Amino acid sequence: MDLRPTADQRALQTSARDLLARRFGRDRLRAAVDDPALDRALWRELGAAGFFALRLPEADGGVGLGLPDAVLVFEEAGRALLPGPLVAGHLLAGVVPGAATGERVVGLCDVGTGGARLWEHPEDCDELIMVEDAGPDASCGDGPDASSGDGPGASSGCGPDTSSGDGPDAYWNAPDWPTLAPLRSIDPLTPLARVVSYPRRAPRALDVPRLRREATLLTAALQLGSAARTVEMAVEHAGRREQFGVRIGAFQAVKHLCAEMLIRVDIARSAVYAASLTGQSLPVIGAKVLADEAAVRNARDCLQVHGGMGFTWEADVHLHLKRAWLRLEQWQSGAKAEEALAEALLADAAAV
Amino acid sequence: MDLRPTADQRALQTSARDLLARRFGRDRLRAAVDDPALDRALWRELGAAGFFALRLPEADGGVGLGLPDAVLVFEEAGRALLPGPLVAGHLLAGVVPGAATGERVVGLCDVGTGGARLWEHPEDCDELIMVEDAGPDASCGDGPDASSGDGPGASSGCGPDTSSGDGPDAYWNAPDWPTLAPLRSIDPLTPLARVVSYPRRAPRALDVPRLRREATLLTAALQLGSAARTVEMAVEHAGRREQFGVRIGAFQAVKHLCAEMLIRVDIARSAVYAASLTGQSLPVIGAKVLADEAAVRNARDCLQVHGGMGFTWEADVHLHLKRAWLRLEQWQSGAKAEEALAEALLADAAAV
Amino acid sequence: MDLTYTPEEEDFRARLREWLAKALPELPARPDPLDWPGRRAYDLGWQRRLYDAGYGSLHWDAPPALRLIFLEETELAGAPYVGANFVGLLHAGPTIAAEGTDEQRARWLPPILRGEAVWCQGFSEPDAGSDLAALRTRAVRDGDDYVITGQKTWTSHAEIADWCELLVRTDPEAPRHRGISWLAMPMDAPGITVRPLRTLAGPAEFAEVFLDEVRVPVANRVGAEHDGWRVTMVTLSFERGTAFVGEVVACRRTLGGLARTARANGRWDDPVLRRRLGRLNAEFTALWRLIQWNVGAGGEAGGAPGAGGSVFKLRYSQARQELYDAAAEVLGASGALDADQEWTAARLSSLSYTIAAGTSQIQRNIIAERILGLPKGR
Amino acid sequence: MDLTYTPEEEDFRARLREWLAKALPELPARPDPLDWPGRRAYDLGWQRRLYDAGYGSLHWDAPPALRLIFLEETELAGAPYVGANFVGLLHAGPTIAAEGTDEQRARWLPPILRGEAVWCQGFSEPDAGSDLAALRTRAVRDGDDYVITGQKTWTSHAEIADWCELLVRTDPEAPRHRGISWLAMPMDAPGITVRPLRTLAGPAEFAEVFLDEVRVPVANRVGAEHDGWRVTMVTLSFERGTAFVGEVVACRRTLGGLARTARANGRWDDPVLRRRLGRLNAEFTALWRLIQWNVGAGGEAGGAPGAGGSVFKLRYSQARQELYDAAAEVLGASGALDADQEWTAARLSSLSYTIAAGTSQIQRNIIAERILGLPKGR
């Protein structure tokens, strides 16, 4: 019983950090801010490094590792602000040919009840998987029969669900099938589109609850990495910047902001790592709630520590904040997450 | 247009402060902690000073002042932690004979929907007024016909309301009529009982909405006074107590706690004073919400500034916190208040 | 305590409201935010209309109640913001009025009031933010001129300003607060380079200003030489005082808009959000009352709001951020993440409120030391 | 990363659980909180049973995983709290084990483990709270004794303690941290007066201890003379580390109780409250994982938890206060204001958590300076 990463896991995390530092350092990050089109060469390199195939069996060309290892690697991606549909690529590596190697970029969009219906990097995806809720009235696709031929469905909104209720909950889409609403993404590194409707022409058998759970956990890991990075940025700045003749980190007001930031990271990290070990739904939801809070509030506190400099476009602080806001809306979060955690208290009468 | 008290009002407030300092100084306060029975002589002295008759017409022996003046006096009572059914005495001064002079001590208990049903100083009250909501299903009395003779009703809970819905919303009770549930009050200065049921034998025609509104405002003024006092206590302590070779008020962590306390007071004061001028329902509710927050959070921050000393029974900090918790439950507060303030945003489409 | 207005004040309000109803429809279309010359013309044109109608100096030398009515009514009517006239009307102008010579007042104030001159502020420097007194821009006396070299930052409207209220160090040997002077620098003087400064909220509103041996006549100094710190404090107390009146009115209107939008899109069914909006209603109502309080108090103290402005500024900057966080909840994911949504853009801008014009940390120090009298420390 | 236990550890858990199921029903009735002799007998008796069953020293010298299992299972089974044995088992004991001589360990540790001696802590003084190193209680060497005069406060269980771990100043000339020594003082020595200290939560749990020329043999000093500060730091790091394991388990149980009570009394219909409880569920689950993390880390570092304990302590003390604030919401007015309600009493006690054993302000300094490496300052 030891929640800390093993030596092997630390080595894995370090190699991910090194790869990202080499291939996605600050210059590349700022270049991506100006042109967020996905770097396909980097994507293939991530594929070659096992980023997507990490949990596929070695027999299938994968690395054969587990969810805890994936979480450590995603934490690094979050630290580095690496853009792109990373969660999709990782979770669909065993489902969509070419995803595991990074040859093909695949998107994943949650259109279930409360799903954000947002599609990351729509221009860069070679294909797209839609996941819905099972059962009637839960989804907003055009229905399997709503369109014919090879064009996208023409429906412009959510009609009544005509599916049987026990059909598949996932649909494959070519990138030009869905009807999209334009959206100027708040995160300059992550172009977005909102999916208005899409044809249910190509159903896919996927374990959607599991997919959602793992997407939630990996998104929490990205948030955790960002939260950890913004503490470092705040501490670096506070240890360097002088005002009133001293480094501002000597002021309690700054010191205590930084201390609270670290606490959020440590709490979120305990929750995320533990959830990756059990893989259970509730710990995953709890981890996302805490990692969301850590990422958003740490980015804001980091901005406050940076003062006016933090408010500039040139500082990286806002990139962390905007990405944290984006991830907050992805997968399980907010009201639904807290309701699920509350409900569990009633169910859990016997255990602690 | 000037929200600040006039010279006359400042003089009124000062004289209230002087009276309370003279008659209810720290020794009396601590004596009351050990024996919270009401000091009837002090009560009569408050009556003689116009505390209860403040807003009665001069022709009726009152002082002929207005709600803003009452708010200033109640702010002082809150500062001094003066115990007793002050709000009741003031609001019923024109209704219950002897209340205006302080000869008789009268209680006031809100048993409407969401009313706390708590009775302050039950042992000390000579009589008690119950206020209910108008309309069916809103009240929990025994009903006008539920008891006969001169004893209290025997009903032990809330039955269906048998009133017509447009009858009176207030009932007079002798102190031994209601059925009470025991309660060891968290506030050592304020004994409490919970009213389980009571007879609706002696209806009184009162403007209950107005009574509630003014009770809410005066309670907010008490909270404001307490919040202002705990800032002073924190500042006094921080300016005197030395640790690490300096007065702890020199530490930013302490300084910033105190600054936030003052801000809460200033915001609450603006809201309470302005609401006393308009007398309208929504500003009153908003003022109570902000004054509640100021009183509770300031008492807690004051405790934190005092450190271990603040946790002792001998320090007065806990008396402010416990009273603030008590007042938080009295009259409009919490969910209902916030819902009313939200609803007003919709209604208020035209105005700002 | 009195919330009523005198008949004269109510009359002023009625006439102003009437005038606004006529004047606003005659205004040209608002320029694009990136069209600097257009914005200059628009903002100056509006100030000229105000001036011609007798409302040109309401921002600083009117009785407090009239100023409040003016700010309230212009905001309610949807009149243009003070915009490019901000520094002239609310910073430099009042400072010159209070500290300048008769000649200086005659030279600089009428063009500000008539809508003929745009001013910008040259206070902050890269290494002098919260610690403004650490400023290093040097002014060396050479005959009747100062020769100025250094760098300023967070200068808004620098691209279109005629004048800059500039803080410079005139005595590098003196204690930090004693060697500073306040100058009016013409922005067309040789040696000035303006470079736009992009913020996280997008297009450039601010600029960096580089000064390379810029000559400014000694006669352009307001206040005594080396006494600029005291002069500056006058200006800053204005900034922390009534500068936000219009914004609070606007926030209250936004709050109503949030509620109606939430009801329209179904988010109103969430009691957590509803109660949050209700609480913000109490908050902004109280902030409005606190402004009225401060205006009343400032009137008595001679027009310059005191440290009480820090109390308002701290709570308001926090409340404004909470307002736009609530807006993100109302909008839902696709609105909160859409940079083209007005409320989302405002949410980004709101992030500067706890930093600009004195961080919240600095304001808390001011309150603790100047109002509460706690001992100075780190 | 590993959340599983070894077969040996699972076996330990199973045997412990079995033993608890047998032992707990045999316990006498819990004494009244005001019955000091009764509490002493009860708490020592329970420790004796643990000792006889081989669990007497689980608190400090077991492998971390076993200690965690022990604390978890005893709490789950509703076993008595460590109570009067707290200082002996978790403060003084581990300190003597780490820093004492062979003779000292042989003299003091067995009675602690066998449930024969109660210890109390004499660290804080009226003028030395957060600034513990400011302590002024003097110890003057006189032959083989120290003669001690001064005053201690916040001493829990002083009324029934046999020993006191006492910090005294042995060199008043030395720098503050260098003139302190750590002594074991017998509580029956002449010159000791114990006066109960009442807290806002009600009956006295703590006491003030007055020392008037109390003689303590030099042989009772643990560690070198004047080296008591370092010895103390060992003790404090224990206090901030695993001391809270049982409490977190208890908090999670309370949280479940809140949810069930809320459903029973209708408060569950309020989504604001429900979501608050949901969030606390995430919070306490994470705190539990953080304890496991710290125990794992502490195991590697040799048993003494480090500054990471400050991270836990800060967040936990905050979460505990939020838990009992939520309890007040669940109970409603008549419960939240009833001092006899268990949760209401616990709410009052929770107020000390952000103060005792190092205020939250001090903990944040520790985290910022020792973990994050920010410069020292005020």
Side-chain angles (χ1 to χ4, degrees):
Chain A
M1 210 287 306
D2 189 342
L3 254 181
R4 293 170 305 160
T6 62
D8 280 356
Q9 288 173 326
R10 284 201 302 273
L12 172 72
Q13 195 166 28
T14 304
S15 78
R17 185 177 298 198
D18 291 346
L19 169 67
L20 291 170
R22 202 170 60 244
R23 285 292 280 109
F24 195 70
R26 181 137 205 284
D27 288 351
R28 296 295 295 262
L29 173 72
R30 298 306 307 202
V33 168
D34 294 327
D35 176 9
L38 220 56
D39 178 345
R40 304 290 292 229
L42 171 57
W43 209 252
R44 282 189 296 272
E45 207 164 328
L46 292 170
F51 198 99
F52 305 121
L54 198 74
R55 292 191 297 138
L56 295 185
E58 292 185 63
D60 299 346
V63 189
L65 293 173
L67 210 43
D69 311 286
V71 152
L72 292 172
V73 170
F74 270 73
E75 185 181 342
E76 290 306 315
R79 273 180 63 88
L81 273 174
L82 183 67
L86 298 162
V87 171
H90 181 94
L91 292 178
L92 299 169
V95 178
V96 174
T101 57
E103 282 304 319
R104 290 182 72 76
V105 177
V106 53
L108 179 61
C109 181
D110 188 0
V111 291
T113 322
R117 307 178 67 83
L118 294 173
W119 181 12
E120 281 185 61
H121 290 267
E123 301 286 326
D124 295 303
C125 287
D126 300 312
E127 47 205 302
L128 175 64
I129 300 288
M130 303 288 180
V131 296
E132 301 179 351
D133 293 333
D137 293 318
S139 62
C140 281
D142 296 339
D145 307 315
S147 68
S148 57
D150 50 17
S155 164
S156 61
C158 303
D161 189 329
T162 56
S163 75
S164 65
D166 52 1
D169 306 323
Y171 295 88
W172 184 93
N173 268 242
D176 61 340
W177 288 7
T179 306
L180 303 178
L183 184 71
R184 190 163 70 85
S185 173
I186 200 172
D187 175 9
L189 289 158
T190 312
L192 291 174
R194 191 167 70 81
V195 175
V196 176
S197 65
Y198 57 92
R200 285 199 188 119
R201 202 178 314 141
R204 280 293 157 97
L206 288 177
D207 182 349
V208 171
R210 180 187 177 142
L211 193 78
R212 279 216 176 90
R213 205 163 59 232
E214 294 184 352
T216 303
L217 179 65
L218 294 175
T219 306
L222 292 167
Q223 295 284 58
L224 169 63
S226 171
R229 179 68 193 125
T230 49
V231 190
E232 289 173 11
M233 288 163 62
V235 169
E236 281 164 21
H237 183 79
R240 197 175 53 230
R241 169 85 172 168
E242 288 193 12
Q243 292 279 275
F244 305 102
V246 294
R247 287 176 291 163
I248 62 170
F251 293 111
Q252 275 190 346
V254 173
K255 220 174 257 196
H256 291 190
L257 271 180
C258 293
E260 290 294 333
M261 292 171 76
L262 180 74
I263 292 169
R264 286 184 211 118
V265 170
D266 281 3
I267 279 285
R269 181 173 282 130
S270 302
V272 170
Y273 286 11
S276 78
L277 289 165
T278 69
Q280 287 164 344
S281 174
L282 277 167
V284 163
I285 292 171
K288 176 70 161 44
V289 164
L290 294 167
D292 282 340
E293 184 190 13
V296 170
R297 294 190 59 187
N298 277 17
R300 289 181 89 141
D301 285 351
C302 181
L303 201 163
Q304 190 67 24
V305 168
H306 277 74
M309 282 181 205
F311 192 65
T312 63
W313 184 263
E314 305 315 319
D316 295 342
V317 192
H318 70 108
L319 302 174
H320 280 279
L321 177 57
K322 291 166 176 174
R323 190 78 67 87
W325 275 341
L326 168 59
R327 291 196 199 104
L328 177 72
E329 304 287 358
Q330 292 176 322
W331 308 105
Q332 218 27 300
S333 65
K336 284 189 74 170
E338 287 170 359
E339 289 283 8
L341 288 159
E343 201 59 40
L345 289 171
L346 292 175
D348 219 26
V352 242
Chain B
M1 208 291 304
D2 190 343
L3 254 181
R4 292 170 306 160
T6 61
D8 280 355
Q9 287 173 326
R10 284 201 302 272
L12 173 71
Q13 195 166 28
T14 304
S15 78
R17 185 177 298 197
D18 291 346
L19 168 68
L20 290 170
R22 202 170 58 244
R23 286 290 281 108
F24 194 72
R26 181 139 205 282
D27 288 351
R28 296 294 296 262
L29 173 72
R30 298 305 309 201
V33 168
D34 294 327
D35 176 9
L38 221 55
D39 177 346
R40 305 289 294 227
L42 171 56
W43 210 252
R44 283 189 296 271
E45 206 165 327
L46 292 171
F51 199 99
F52 305 120
L54 198 75
R55 292 190 298 136
L56 294 185
E58 293 185 62
D60 299 347
V63 190
L65 293 174
L67 210 43
D69 311 286
V71 151
L72 293 172
V73 171
F74 270 72
E75 186 182 340
E76 290 306 316
R79 274 180 61 88
L81 274 173
L82 183 67
L86 298 161
V87 172
H90 181 94
L91 292 178
L92 299 170
V95 178
V96 174
T101 58
E103 282 304 318
R104 290 182 72 75
V105 176
V106 53
L108 179 60
C109 180
D110 188 0
V111 290
T113 321
R117 307 178 66 84
L118 293 173
W119 180 13
E120 281 185 60
H121 290 266
E123 301 286 326
D124 296 302
C125 288
D126 301 312
E127 46 206 302
L128 175 64
I129 300 287
M130 303 287 179
V131 297
E132 302 179 349
D133 294 332
D137 292 320
S139 63
C140 281
D142 295 340
D145 306 313
S147 68
S148 59
D150 50 16
S155 163
S156 61
C158 303
D161 189 328
T162 56
S163 75
S164 66
D166 51 3
D169 306 324
Y171 295 88
W172 184 92
N173 269 243
D176 60 341
W177 288 7
T179 306
L180 304 177
L183 185 70
R184 190 164 70 85
S185 173
I186 199 171
D187 175 10
L189 289 158
T190 313
L192 292 174
R194 192 166 69 82
V195 175
V196 177
S197 66
Y198 57 92
R200 286 201 188 116
R201 202 179 312 141
R204 281 293 158 98
L206 287 177
D207 182 349
V208 171
R210 181 188 177 140
L211 193 78
R212 279 219 177 89
R213 205 164 58 232
E214 294 184 351
T216 303
L217 179 65
L218 294 175
T219 306
L222 292 167
Q223 294 284 58
L224 169 62
S226 171
R229 178 68 192 124
T230 49
V231 190
E232 290 173 12
M233 288 162 64
V235 169
E236 280 163 24
H237 183 79
R240 197 175 53 231
R241 169 84 171 167
E242 288 192 13
Q243 291 279 273
F244 305 102
V246 294
R247 288 176 290 163
I248 62 170
F251 293 111
Q252 275 191 346
V254 173
K255 219 173 258 196
H256 291 191
L257 271 180
C258 292
E260 290 294 332
M261 292 171 76
L262 180 75
I263 292 170
R264 285 184 211 118
V265 171
D266 280 4
I267 278 284
R269 181 174 282 130
S270 302
V272 169
Y273 286 12
S276 78
L277 289 164
T278 69
Q280 288 165 344
S281 174
L282 277 167
V284 164
I285 293 172
K288 176 70 161 43
V289 164
L290 293 167
D292 282 339
E293 184 191 12
V296 171
R297 294 190 58 187
N298 277 16
R300 288 181 89 140
D301 285 352
C302 182
L303 201 162
Q304 190 68 24
V305 168
H306 276 73
M309 283 181 205
F311 193 65
T312 64
W313 185 263
E314 304 316 319
D316 294 343
V317 192
H318 71 109
L319 302 174
H320 279 278
L321 177 58
K322 290 165 177 174
R323 189 77 68 87
W325 276 341
L326 168 58
R327 292 196 198 104
L328 177 72
E329 304 288 358
Q330 292 176 323
W331 309 104
Q332 226 14 310
S333 66
K336 284 189 75 170
E338 288 170 358
E339 289 282 8
L341 289 159
E343 201 59 41
L345 289 171
L346 292 175
D348 219 26
V352 240
Chain C
M1 282 186 231
D2 185 10
L3 278 177
T4 62
Y5 291 92
T6 64
E8 292 73 26
E9 288 162 351
E10 289 295 1
D11 184 51
F12 171 82
R13 184 193 295 276
R15 282 184 294 117
L16 173 60
R17 197 176 281 188
E18 196 181 336
W19 179 78
L20 285 166
K22 271 209 306 260
L24 293 180
E26 295 168 5
L27 278 180
R30 286 190 198 236
D32 184 275
L34 297 174
D35 171 15
W36 280 108
R39 285 172 66 179
R40 177 184 159 96
Y42 184 88
D43 292 348
L44 288 179
W46 172 242
Q47 175 60 21
R48 177 70 200 201
R49 280 166 188 261
L50 287 172
Y51 177 82
D52 288 342
Y55 300 117
S57 66
L58 259 298
H59 272 297
W60 87 72
D61 69 354
L66 293 194
R67 197 188 324 157
L68 207 61
I69 291 170
F70 172 76
L71 293 167
E72 192 179 3
E73 290 296 327
T74 46
E75 175 59 39
L76 282 175
Y81 292 104
V82 67
N85 299 301
F86 183 77
V87 173
L89 288 173
L90 289 161
H91 286 217
T95 305
I96 294 163
E99 300 287 332
T101 62
D102 288 346
E103 288 77 11
Q104 288 174 332
R105 286 203 292 271
R107 178 180 180 194
W108 287 314
L109 298 187
I112 291 173
L113 295 174
R114 287 197 302 258
E116 292 162 6
V118 169
W119 284 65
C120 63
Q121 189 185 67
F123 282 13
S124 294
E125 299 182 5
D127 289 324
S130 290
D131 184 13
L132 184 55
L135 62 91
R136 293 194 300 208
T137 293
R138 282 286 305 280
V140 179
R141 189 88 174 242
D142 181 31
D144 290 339
D145 288 344
Y146 291 110
V147 180
I148 301 163
T149 300
Q151 181 187 348
K152 294 290 174 179
T153 190
W154 297 111
T155 304
S156 48
H157 303 105
E159 284 91 337
I160 51 164
D162 304 289
W163 291 93
C164 177
E165 51 166 353
L166 189 73
L167 288 185
V168 293
R169 187 161 298 283
T170 38
D171 182 356
E173 309 301 321
R176 288 152 38 96
H177 295 83
R178 303 236 178 97
I180 294 170
S181 299
W182 194 108
L183 307 180
M185 174 177 75
M187 287 298 285
D188 58 358
I192 300 179
T193 308
V194 173
R195 197 172 72 188
L197 184 63
R198 201 171 169 201
T199 74
L200 61 81
E205 182 73 15
F206 301 95
E208 294 175 293
V209 176
F210 298 88
L211 305 170
D212 182 17
E213 304 205 340
V214 179
R215 298 189 82 87
V216 172
V218 171
N220 285 17
R221 194 189 63 232
V222 171
E225 190 166 54
H226 313 323
D227 193 32
W229 185 255
R230 191 189 54 75
V231 175
T232 302
M233 287 301 104
V234 172
T235 314
L236 287 185
S237 68
F238 271 97
E239 189 176 8
R240 287 172 196 159
T242 53
F244 298 106
V245 172
E247 291 194 23
V248 173
V249 176
C251 282
R252 296 181 72 193
R253 193 158 50 182
T254 299
L255 191 54
L258 292 185
R260 288 188 297 279
T261 301
R263 195 166 59 173
N265 74 11
R267 293 289 289 123
W268 192 252
D269 296 339
D270 176 1
V272 177
L273 176 60
R274 230 164 39 223
R275 286 178 55 181
R276 204 163 146 190
L277 294 175
R279 200 168 182 97
L280 282 167
N281 189 6
E283 183 79 24
F284 278 101
T285 305
L287 282 165
W288 177 244
R289 297 310 187 189
L290 184 57
I291 278 206
Q292 291 184 318
W293 182 296
N294 283 348
V295 167
E300 192 156 276
S310 290
V311 171
F312 173 82
K313 199 249 180 196
L314 249 170
R315 185 86 174 210
Y316 167 63
S317 55
Q318 175 84 26
R320 188 180 174 99
Q321 292 179 352
E322 285 168 16
L323 175 71
Y324 287 107
D325 285 346
E329 288 278 320
V330 170
L331 290 169
S334 59
L337 299 175
D338 184 347
D340 284 334
Q341 284 275 352
E342 182 190 340
W343 288 336
T344 302
R347 186 187 197 195
L348 288 173
S349 302
S350 78
L351 295 171
S352 72
Y353 277 68
T354 48
I355 295 170
T359 64
S360 294
Q361 284 71 31
I362 296 287
Q363 308 288 355
R364 288 190 198 103
N365 278 351
I366 291 173
I367 292 168
E369 292 172 10
R370 293 197 212 153
I371 305 183
L372 297 176
L374 285 168
K376 293 230 171 205
R378 278 286 155 79
Chain D
M1 282 186 231
D2 185 10
L3 279 178
T4 60
Y5 291 91
T6 63
E8 291 74 25
E9 288 162 351
E10 289 296 1
D11 183 52
F12 172 82
R13 185 192 296 276
R15 280 185 294 119
L16 173 60
R17 198 175 280 188
E18 197 180 335
W19 179 77
L20 286 167
K22 271 207 306 257
L24 293 179
E26 295 168 6
L27 278 179
R30 285 189 199 237
D32 184 274
L34 297 175
D35 170 13
W36 280 108
R39 284 171 68 180
R40 178 185 158 95
Y42 184 86
D43 293 348
L44 288 179
W46 171 241
Q47 176 61 21
R48 177 71 201 199
R49 281 166 188 261
L50 286 172
Y51 177 82
D52 287 342
Y55 300 116
S57 66
L58 259 298
H59 272 296
W60 88 72
D61 69 355
L66 292 195
R67 197 188 325 157
L68 207 62
I69 291 170
F70 172 76
L71 293 166
E72 193 179 1
E73 290 297 326
T74 47
E75 175 59 39
L76 282 175
Y81 292 104
V82 67
N85 299 301
F86 184 76
V87 173
L89 288 172
L90 290 161
H91 286 216
T95 305
I96 294 164
E99 301 285 331
T101 62
D102 288 346
E103 289 76 12
Q104 289 173 332
R105 286 202 294 271
R107 176 179 181 195
W108 287 315
L109 298 187
I112 291 174
L113 295 174
R114 285 196 303 258
E116 291 162 7
V118 169
W119 285 64
C120 63
Q121 188 185 67
F123 282 13
S124 294
E125 298 182 6
D127 289 324
S130 290
D131 185 13
L132 183 56
L135 63 91
R136 293 194 300 208
T137 293
R138 282 286 305 279
V140 179
R141 189 85 173 244
D142 180 31
D144 290 339
D145 288 343
Y146 290 111
V147 180
I148 301 165
T149 300
Q151 182 188 346
K152 294 291 174 179
T153 190
W154 298 111
T155 304
S156 48
H157 303 104
E159 284 91 337
I160 51 165
D162 305 289
W163 292 92
C164 177
E165 51 165 354
L166 188 74
L167 288 185
V168 293
R169 188 161 298 284
T170 38
D171 182 357
E173 309 300 322
R176 289 151 39 93
H177 296 82
R178 303 237 177 95
I180 294 169
S181 299
W182 195 108
L183 307 181
M185 174 176 76
M187 287 297 285
D188 58 358
I192 300 179
T193 308
V194 173
R195 196 171 73 187
L197 184 63
R198 201 170 169 202
T199 74
L200 61 82
E205 182 73 15
F206 302 94
E208 295 175 292
V209 177
F210 299 87
L211 305 170
D212 181 17
E213 304 206 340
V214 180
R215 299 190 81 88
V216 172
V218 171
N220 285 16
R221 194 188 64 231
V222 171
E225 189 167 55
H226 312 324
D227 194 33
W229 185 255
R230 191 190 54 75
V231 176
T232 302
M233 288 301 104
V234 172
T235 314
L236 287 184
S237 67
F238 271 98
E239 188 176 8
R240 288 173 195 158
T242 52
F244 297 107
V245 172
E247 291 195 22
V248 173
V249 176
C251 282
R252 296 181 72 192
R253 192 158 52 183
T254 299
L255 190 54
L258 291 184
R260 288 188 296 277
T261 301
R263 195 166 59 174
N265 74 11
R267 294 289 290 123
W268 192 251
D269 296 339
D270 176 1
V272 177
L273 176 61
R274 230 166 37 224
R275 285 177 56 180
R276 204 163 144 188
L277 295 175
R279 202 169 179 94
L280 282 167
N281 188 6
E283 184 79 23
F284 278 101
T285 305
L287 282 165
W288 177 245
R289 296 310 186 189
L290 184 57
I291 278 206
Q292 291 183 318
W293 182 295
N294 283 348
V295 168
E300 192 157 275
S310 289
V311 171
F312 174 82
K313 199 249 181 197
L314 250 170
R315 185 86 175 210
Y316 167 63
S317 55
Q318 174 85 26
R320 188 181 174 99
Q321 291 180 353
E322 286 169 15
L323 175 72
Y324 286 108
D325 285 346
E329 288 278 319
V330 170
L331 290 169
S334 60
L337 300 175
D338 184 348
D340 284 334
Q341 283 275 351
E342 182 190 340
W343 288 335
T344 302
R347 186 187 195 193
L348 288 173
S349 302
S350 78
L351 295 170
S352 73
Y353 278 69
T354 48
I355 294 170
T359 65
S360 294
Q361 284 71 31
I362 297 286
Q363 307 289 354
R364 288 189 196 104
N365 279 351
I366 292 173
I367 293 169
E369 293 172 9
R370 293 196 214 155
I371 305 184
L372 296 176
L374 284 168
K376 293 230 171 204
R378 279 284 155 79

